[in-house]
């Protein structure tokens, strides 16, 4: 079974009341029907899967991370402890929103690449070290095997911070509905793509019906209202060659919020998204993410082979699959 526990972390660079984040840590559990389990709800970790590698999942701006619970549960059941979290902050003057924690100053032309822009990450890693030291998860986390993943702005944050020089335990990174286009509001020239680290496997997933990307092209100095062009450009120009371990996966019937289940129309910008009819894009994305992480994060050779054999030629949901 999959269980989760809640915890909190404090980001010293943020000001109260926006300096505290709430995390959910999903883990594989083994219910033993003990008095303590029935009395407290604290179910121990499945020892057969421990110590478990860890995925930290970055959510999009004003997107409730509860929408990724289906993915977190699936990954945790396979032995990958998955952390979702949420901060609330004033990302822009007068605009308070749920955020993955973006240090915008670190993304300006004169500061990019000098330090992480994922400002919550040190605090989250400190929280995980504490949990691995005592309590229910003590000794059950393999913090030397770490992955980043993310959706929308959280996916961009995951890609731009997937640097083993900053986070030496990183083994893999994936994104859904994200690219590394640099905002002209931060001072970048139009059509700038920020580079992704060359040192770890990368999986970029996009949907052919992504209306949010299509309708946000102006932020990067473009009038090209394509759902996938900037994701493809990121793969072509910003993701390096990596012996075939870097992958672009585009899905026919998926939009920006296909990865969220259920999608929450009360926040975010679902009103500018395009329709995705079948809902099968989410399942295909989940299968790809699962085999990618089990292959590269867990060193599961069977999963890695299954991921490498994934092909658009025999999968009706896949519109494009490229490797480099």
């Amino acid at each position: 079974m999959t269980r989760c526990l809640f915890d909190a972390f404090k980001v010293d660079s943020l000001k109260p009341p926006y300096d505290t984040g709430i995390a959910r840590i999903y883990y594989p559990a083994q219910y033993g029907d003990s008095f303590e389990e029935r009395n407290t709800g604290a179910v121990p970790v499945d020892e057969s899967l421990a110590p478990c590698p860890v995925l930290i999942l970055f959510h999009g701006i004003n997107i409730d991370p509860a929408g990724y619970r289906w993915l977190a549960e699936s990954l945790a059941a396979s032995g990958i402890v998955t952390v979702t979290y949420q901060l609330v902050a004033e990302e822009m003057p007068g605009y308070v929103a749920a955020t993955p924690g973006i240090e915008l100053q670190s993304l300006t032309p004169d500061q990019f690449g000098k330090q992480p822009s994922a400002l919550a990450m040190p605090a989250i890693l400190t929280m995980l070290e504490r949990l691995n030291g005592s309590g229910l998860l003590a000794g059950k986390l393999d913090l030397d095997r770490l992955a980043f993943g993310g959706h929308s702005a959280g996916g961009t944050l995951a890609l731009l911070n997937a640097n083993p020089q900053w986070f030496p335990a990183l083994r893999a990174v994936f994104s859904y509905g994200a690219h590394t286009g640099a905002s002209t509001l931060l001072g970048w020239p139009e059509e700038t793509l920020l580079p992704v680290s060359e040192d770890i496997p990368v999986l970029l997933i996009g949907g052919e019906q992504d209306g949010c990307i299509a309708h946000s092209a102006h932020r990067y100095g473009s009038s090209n209202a394509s759902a996938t062009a900037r994701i493809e450009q990121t793969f072509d120009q910003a993701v390096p060659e990596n012996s075939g371990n870097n992958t672009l996966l585009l899905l026919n019937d998926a939009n920006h919020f296909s990865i969220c289940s259920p999608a929450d129309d009360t926040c975010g910008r679902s009103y500018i998204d395009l329709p995705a009819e079948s809902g099968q894009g989410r399942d295909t994305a989940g299968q790809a993410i699962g085999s990618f992480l089990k292959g590269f994060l867990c060193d599961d050779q069977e999963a890695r082979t299954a991921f490498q054999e994934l092909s658009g030629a025999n999968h009706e949901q896949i519109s494009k699959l490229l490797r480099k």
Side-chain angles (χ1 to χ4, degrees):
M1 66 191 305
T2 297
R3 297 284 291 176
C4 89
L5 56 83
F6 294 88
D7 212 288
F9 56 90
K10 188 173 289 291
V11 181
D12 293 336
S13 61
L14 296 176
K15 296 180 180 180
Y18 302 128
D19 58 343
T20 300
I22 302 298
R24 291 185 67 159
I25 301 95
Y26 296 82
Y27 66 93
Q30 182 64 56
Y31 182 60
D33 196 30
S34 68
F35 173 78
E36 183 176 359
E37 289 169 282
R38 286 184 278 112
N39 191 46
T40 66
V43 182
V45 176
D46 185 342
E47 294 285 353
S48 69
L49 296 171
C52 302
V54 177
L55 164 70
I56 298 175
L57 191 56
F58 300 66
H59 64 86
I61 297 293
N62 241 12
I63 297 175
D64 189 340
Y68 315 124
R69 195 180 90 181
W70 68 275
L71 179 60
E73 289 184 359
S74 173
L75 294 173
S78 71
I80 301 172
V81 166
T82 301
V83 180
T84 64
Y85 70 94
Q86 188 170 62
L87 285 163
V88 175
E90 190 174 14
E91 285 286 4
M92 296 180 289
Y95 181 67
V96 175
T99 171
I102 305 173
E103 178 54 73
L104 292 176
Q105 188 60 39
S106 297
L107 296 175
T108 59
D110 61 333
Q111 294 297 315
F112 178 74
K114 295 181 180 180
Q115 63 274 320
S117 53
L119 57 83
M121 209 43 48
I124 291 173
L125 292 176
T126 298
M127 175 193 72
L128 290 172
E129 289 170 359
R130 172 171 50 79
L131 292 172
N132 204 32
S134 63
L136 192 65
L137 298 180
K140 303 301 189 294
L141 305 179
D142 185 350
L143 298 179
D144 290 326
R145 290 188 293 160
L146 180 68
F148 288 167
H151 169 221
S152 194
T156 299
L157 198 63
L159 293 171
L160 296 180
N161 286 271
N163 186 338
Q165 294 183 7
W166 296 337
F167 305 104
L170 271 175
R171 300 285 188 89
V173 61
F174 76 85
S175 66
Y176 181 92
H179 54 78
T180 65
S183 173
T184 56
L185 291 177
L186 293 175
W188 291 98
E190 294 184 357
E191 304 296 343
T192 298
L193 293 167
L194 302 178
V196 179
S197 173
E198 62 184 16
D199 297 322
I200 63 172
V202 176
L203 170 61
L204 299 183
I205 307 177
E208 298 282 1
Q209 306 304 312
D210 194 323
C212 291
I213 286 181
H215 292 112
S216 299
H218 62 280
R219 297 179 176 180
Y220 313 99
S222 174
S223 60
N224 181 4
S226 166
T228 64
R230 193 157 272 106
I231 297 176
E232 294 180 81
Q233 290 165 359
T234 295
F235 186 75
D236 290 341
Q237 302 173 36
V239 173
E241 296 280 348
N242 190 15
S243 302
N245 291 327
N246 292 342
T247 304
L248 170 70
L249 175 64
L250 300 181
L251 304 174
N252 282 314
D253 190 24
N255 61 18
H256 196 69
F257 290 96
S258 288
I259 199 170
C260 299
S261 180
D264 185 350
D265 291 337
T266 67
C267 55
R269 297 188 297 153
S270 59
Y271 43 81
I272 64 171
D273 211 357
L274 298 172
E277 302 298 334
S278 70
Q280 294 179 6
R282 188 203 78 171
D283 295 336
T284 304
Q287 291 165 8
I289 292 167
S291 59
F292 172 75
L293 291 177
K294 282 186 281 187
F296 291 103
L297 179 61
C298 303
D299 297 321
D300 183 326
Q301 292 303 314
E302 184 176 338
R304 187 176 297 191
T305 298
F307 180 73
Q308 295 294 346
E309 291 178 349
L310 188 67
S311 169
N314 55 20
H315 200 304
E316 63 179 11
Q317 284 296 312
I318 297 176
S319 63
K320 179 178 285 190
L321 192 148
L322 299 175
R323 303 188 194 277
K324 63 193 299 189

